[in-house]
Amino acid sequence: MPFSLQQIEIALQTLVDRLSEAVFSKDHTTLLAKRILDALRDYLEQQESGRAPEKFTIFMHPEDLKNIPPGTEWSDRISAALIETGGQIGLEFSTDPLIQFAPDQSLTPGDIEIIAEGKGRAIGSTAVYRQASFEADSTLNPGDLHAYLILEGQNLFQLNRPVYNLGRRKENDLVIDDPRVSRNHAQLRFSNGHYRVFDLNSTGGTFVNQQRIVQHQLAPGDVISLAGYAIIYGQERATGQTGPAGGTTTELPAGKEDGAE
């Protein structure tokens, strides 16, 4: 259910008008409205039923979250604004959408990202799902897993940071020089004690154990395929490290071992 440009403009203005009443500053309100519409549009474009999402999770830097007062007043206002906006563009919510706020240390102060969820599917404003709950394993740091990737059966890449972007684009954390791989193909994100892989609307798709996925929580031995480029996920909870340091951007041409000329 793609939106037309005119529908997006109408929806954006409606959201800004409704949210500016008591939620954020003008600039923050405009950013919030854009992020909500991005999440909503991505969600509707990637599912066939045309149903509106049931939940929106708003991720903010922890310092920004301190400005959110306790209680549900702001969540209720955003939910009401979404229902009104849906009416403007012909989208009906089966129930009042649930709005929740969650911290994300990887965001810069002032930035916002949002996921929209419904019936087993979660799509965000960057097509990336972030886990909103922080349970027992959330005390783990990425390096505690000693996780790593085996690329095309020969290259080792250690995972010790919360976020890795994968694709052909030079700015990615893991640059894969393979024509089958999209420029911005997938993302690995550490959350709630686990790494998850997310497809970033790639052309060739992201697969785990031969099943095409939007997002998937990884387990040791999972075989990830980026449009045919094979990656095996592994992790060790024992002392020590496996593979090369993953703290910088690494470029790995298809089939080329680390250090090869």
Side-chain angles (χ1 to χ4, degrees):
M1 180 181 174
F3 295 154
S4 69
L5 180 59
Q6 183 179 10
Q7 286 178 312
I8 293 172
E9 290 176 348
I10 292 173
L12 179 59
Q13 188 58 53
T14 300
L15 268 177
V16 170
D17 291 344
R18 292 288 283 110
L19 297 178
S20 61
E21 294 178 4
V23 182
F24 294 112
S25 67
K26 182 178 180 180
D27 289 343
H28 225 163
T29 296
T30 301
L31 176 61
L32 175 64
K34 288 180 178 179
R35 291 287 192 264
I36 289 174
L37 285 181
D38 286 343
L40 181 60
R41 179 172 53 189
D42 288 343
Y43 179 89
L44 292 173
E45 286 179 350
Q46 295 189 42
Q47 55 95 36
E48 298 177 355
S49 68
R51 295 175 181 169
E54 299 173 352
K55 181 171 73 172
F56 291 78
T57 304
I58 301 171
F59 291 91
M60 306 172 68
H61 189 274
E63 290 300 315
D64 292 334
L65 275 182
K66 293 179 181 179
N67 298 321
I68 304 296
T72 63
E73 180 181 358
W74 284 23
S75 296
D76 292 344
R77 287 180 179 272
I78 295 172
S79 180
L82 271 168
I83 293 172
E84 182 175 337
T85 301
Q88 293 277 354
I89 60 177
L91 178 67
E92 293 186 5
F93 290 86
S94 60
T95 184
D96 291 354
L98 174 66
I99 309 298
Q100 63 182 16
F101 293 90
D104 191 327
Q105 287 276 8
S106 69
L107 291 175
T108 58
D111 199 6
I112 299 171
E113 288 194 11
I114 298 175
I115 61 166
E117 299 180 69
K119 300 300 183 184
R121 181 175 290 264
I123 301 296
S125 56
T126 56
V128 175
Y129 177 76
R130 285 188 167 90
Q131 190 75 0
S133 60
F134 297 88
E135 299 172 356
D137 281 344
S138 65
T139 58
L140 291 175
N141 294 315
D144 294 335
L145 294 182
H146 304 297
Y148 56 91
L149 302 176
I150 303 175
L151 308 170
E152 289 283 271
Q154 53 190 346
N155 301 305
L156 286 175
F157 182 80
Q158 185 179 343
L159 303 174
N160 53 24
R161 301 201 321 249
V163 180
Y164 290 90
N165 291 309
L166 288 67
R168 291 201 334 268
R169 192 162 164 260
K170 297 295 184 182
E171 291 78 12
N172 286 314
D173 302 295
L174 180 55
V175 182
I176 301 174
D177 185 16
D178 187 304
R180 296 170 295 179
V181 176
S182 296
R183 286 169 54 80
N184 299 301
H185 196 110
Q187 184 180 83
L188 293 178
R189 180 169 290 275
F190 181 83
S191 178
N192 201 29
H194 302 277
Y195 273 104
R196 286 179 176 266
V197 60
F198 306 92
D199 182 71
L200 302 183
N201 293 326
S202 64
T203 301
T206 299
F207 299 77
V208 176
N209 302 328
Q210 301 183 339
Q211 298 295 316
R212 188 161 189 166
I213 59 95
V214 174
Q215 60 92 12
H216 178 84
Q217 181 174 299
L218 293 170
D222 278 348
V223 179
I224 306 166
S225 173
L226 306 184
Y229 185 91
I231 300 173
I232 298 174
Y233 174 79
Q235 69 181 46
E236 298 177 0
R237 294 291 297 275
T239 304
Q241 296 183 345
T242 303
T248 58
T249 297
T250 300
E251 181 171 358
L252 294 172
K256 182 176 180 181
E257 296 185 14
D258 290 343
E261 297 296 331

